[in-house]
Amino acid sequence: MTGRHNGVGVRLQHQQLALVHVHCAAHRVALATKDVTEVVTELEEEAQSQRGNAGAATKVSHVCFHRAMTYMLSDIIPVMEKLNLTFQRDSVNLSDIEPAVKCASDTLLAQPGENEENFTATVDIATGAFQGVTLTRVERRATFQHVRADFIQALIQSLEKHFPDEQLSVLKALANVFDRDRYPSPKQRHPLDAHATADLALHTRRCATVINGPWAQRDFNQFKRALVRYGGPATFESSCRIAIRNLAVSYPDFALLAKIALVIPVSSVPAERGFSEQNKIRTSAHNQLSEDRVSKLRIHARDIGSFDITAASDWFHRMRARRK
């Protein structure tokens, strides 16, 4: 339902330009890694179909290649794991997406990592010895370097495919408008005045039916100065809440834009965790529980250590016999 050309989100945007169409960030990472596994599968299939040939596909079947690939993956997997963990947090917001994806891409470009470099430095080129094991075809390292470069490039391209710049730019623009962490120092007048003016213009065009663009652009410099005067954590979410709670009277357009920013669902992970909790309660043995009962059990579920057994026992004894 999230197709770029005829999906539900695209159709809704035809009705309301201000709507921001976002696919769950955690699912995007999963799709990106799924795509790149096809590169490995293609290599294996090519190797099986070209047995006896001297091509790269046949060369990758040697022990040295598999060892090198294992150490390469031991450097790459933690990079993707950090990206996954970032988007699986309950508190993730749209300001986290662009820097997290760019950081992962930059780290991948910086490969080889520590584990792969240690492996390369430890192998004895003359004898092929590595930690008591004799590897074959250690002289084929150039072939591995070529395959490794293709693999990493495919992974980066897959991330770019699932986190396209045209969509990230919409989210990044909102983050630039409200995230005080991204503001230049208020002591530097001109840098602060120039900050995020193009980003605001992007959203005044998108939200022209709900906010007054000329007024918002006129008030932007004053709004930024008002926002930076507030204490507390200078996070994207706290900045949006200040705009809604404290500055709505003076800057109503920014308060409304902040409300839009806060309800953009960056990830569906919290909702899916809720479904998982519900499935633990409403099992095949408890399939007659009403919706109200399931909701109460899920919302009020607490750690057994904090459960007041005495109060529950007293409540039970006070019940009428027929209720017991």
Side-chain angles (χ1 to χ4, degrees):
M1 296 187 293
T2 57
R4 294 185 183 184
H5 303 294
N6 204 31
V8 173
V10 175
R11 292 189 176 193
L12 288 173
Q13 281 181 314
H14 292 161
Q15 304 299 320
Q16 176 53 267
L17 186 62
L19 184 144
V20 179
H21 180 200
V22 180
H23 183 201
C24 172
H27 286 165
R28 292 188 193 205
V29 177
L31 290 173
T33 52
K34 178 179 179 294
D35 288 350
V36 80
T37 56
E38 296 176 1
V39 175
V40 178
T41 303
E42 290 170 2
L43 276 175
E44 293 175 350
E45 292 176 350
E46 184 182 355
Q48 292 175 359
S49 65
Q50 296 185 13
R51 293 293 184 191
N53 292 347
T58 303
K59 296 173 186 176
V60 302
S61 63
H62 297 295
V63 176
C64 184
F65 180 92
H66 289 302
R67 288 293 180 104
M69 178 66 78
T70 299
Y71 279 94
M72 179 199 75
L73 290 175
S74 70
D75 290 321
I76 291 177
I77 289 174
V79 177
M80 302 305 296
E81 181 186 22
K82 285 182 174 59
L83 194 59
N84 263 316
L85 292 175
T86 297
F87 295 144
Q88 288 177 18
R89 300 197 318 261
D90 287 342
S91 60
V92 65
N93 60 59
L94 59 88
S95 69
D96 297 320
I97 295 182
E98 191 262 349
V101 174
K102 296 299 183 185
C103 177
S105 297
D106 291 344
T107 306
L108 291 172
L109 284 173
Q111 298 295 323
E114 181 181 358
N115 292 325
E116 185 185 339
E117 287 186 333
N118 289 341
F119 167 75
T120 303
T122 308
V123 175
D124 189 323
I125 302 299
T127 63
F130 173 73
Q131 296 184 355
V133 178
T134 301
L135 305 181
T136 59
R137 301 293 180 88
V138 294
E139 75 280 2
R140 303 290 192 184
R141 290 196 297 176
T143 300
F144 170 74
Q145 297 295 334
H146 174 72
V147 174
R148 179 179 64 78
D150 287 347
F151 180 86
I152 292 176
Q153 186 61 35
L155 182 54
I156 293 173
Q157 288 176 348
S158 186
L159 283 173
E160 292 173 349
K161 169 187 172 184
H162 291 287
F163 292 91
D165 284 339
E166 65 270 15
Q167 193 173 87
L168 284 182
S169 63
V170 173
L171 304 180
K172 181 181 178 181
L174 274 175
N176 287 340
V177 169
F178 289 106
D179 195 341
R180 288 177 290 167
D181 266 345
R182 304 189 181 197
Y183 281 15
S185 170
K187 296 179 181 179
Q188 300 173 321
R189 176 182 175 184
H190 296 298
L192 182 60
D193 287 348
H195 176 74
T197 53
D199 299 307
L200 178 63
L202 169 65
H203 282 285
T204 54
R205 292 193 298 270
R206 290 177 55 87
C207 304
T209 58
V210 292
I211 68 173
N212 189 316
W215 285 19
Q217 290 175 328
R218 180 200 64 190
D219 293 341
F220 192 28
N221 288 340
Q222 191 174 357
F223 169 78
K224 286 183 282 190
R225 283 180 168 74
L227 190 60
V228 298
R229 297 302 176 187
Y230 281 86
T235 62
F236 169 79
E237 182 175 354
S238 66
S239 299
C240 287
R241 296 195 182 283
I242 289 171
I244 297 168
R245 184 179 60 247
N246 304 99
L247 302 175
V249 175
S250 300
Y251 308 99
D253 293 312
F254 289 96
L256 183 55
L257 197 58
K259 290 179 181 179
I260 293 173
L262 285 180
V263 299
I264 295 175
V266 174
S267 171
S268 63
V269 170
E272 293 185 12
R273 286 196 181 119
F275 292 140
S276 296
E277 290 179 20
Q278 176 177 284
N279 291 337
K280 293 176 184 177
I281 297 169
R282 186 163 184 166
T283 64
S284 57
H286 300 140
N287 58 7
Q288 296 300 313
L289 291 175
S290 67
E291 180 182 346
D292 181 62
R293 178 59 59 85
V294 170
S295 297
K296 289 180 178 178
L297 288 172
R298 180 169 60 85
I299 293 172
H300 297 295
R302 293 179 297 183
D303 180 74
I304 189 65
S306 65
F307 183 72
D308 190 342
I309 297 176
T310 301
S313 177
D314 291 343
W315 177 80
F316 179 76
H317 284 298
R318 289 196 301 270
M319 293 172 61
R320 295 180 181 179
R322 64 181 181 84
R323 295 287 295 179
K324 295 179 183 179

